[in-house]
Amino acid sequence: MDAWAFHADVIGDFDGTGTPYYEYKKADDTEWIKVDNAHVDGVKVKSQISGLEQDTEYVVRLISAEAVGSEFSFRTEIAAQIDGTALPFQRSTHPKP
């Protein structure tokens, strides 16, 4: 697992049955959010979870058929601020003088 400020790349193994997918939530939340972009390669399942908040603790698990995988926790990073910009970084639409 690679966790960044606003997304995380996850990879896990499944038993080969059903259509696997990931679920995640903030560590303090009760409701899981389904991630529908799983890429299956043999028994490996890869996915990117996007739209995360920086410096936040999350929990992720892999679901396959009726099997629920172990939960793993991770914390997103704090986004680096480039001098003279606001977070999150946005490209200026104003032309240079």
Side-chain angles (χ1 to χ4, degrees):
M1 166 172 295
D2 290 324
W4 305 89
F6 302 106
H7 76 272
D9 298 320
V10 293
I11 185 170
D13 296 332
F14 83 114
D15 62 8
T17 61
T19 302
Y21 61 92
Y22 285 97
E23 289 183 332
Y24 75 97
K25 65 181 181 117
K26 288 183 182 177
D28 295 337
D29 287 353
T30 56
E31 188 172 327
W32 290 91
I33 300 166
K34 183 178 179 179
V35 181
D36 287 324
N37 63 359
H39 172 73
V40 179
D41 184 11
V43 296
K44 298 283 185 198
V45 182
K46 300 175 186 177
S47 191
Q48 184 175 88
I49 302 170
S50 58
L52 303 178
E53 296 177 15
Q54 66 175 330
D55 195 27
T56 303
E57 186 81 18
Y58 288 92
V59 181
V60 63
R61 65 186 181 184
L62 180 61
I63 310 292
S64 175
E66 299 299 320
V68 177
S70 299
E71 297 179 7
F72 292 93
S73 62
F74 66 94
R75 177 173 287 282
T76 52
E77 298 176 338
I78 297 173
Q81 183 172 353
I82 301 170
D83 290 338
T85 64
L87 289 178
F89 177 75
Q90 295 179 347
R91 184 179 306 215
S92 174
T93 58
H94 301 286
K96 292 183 179 180

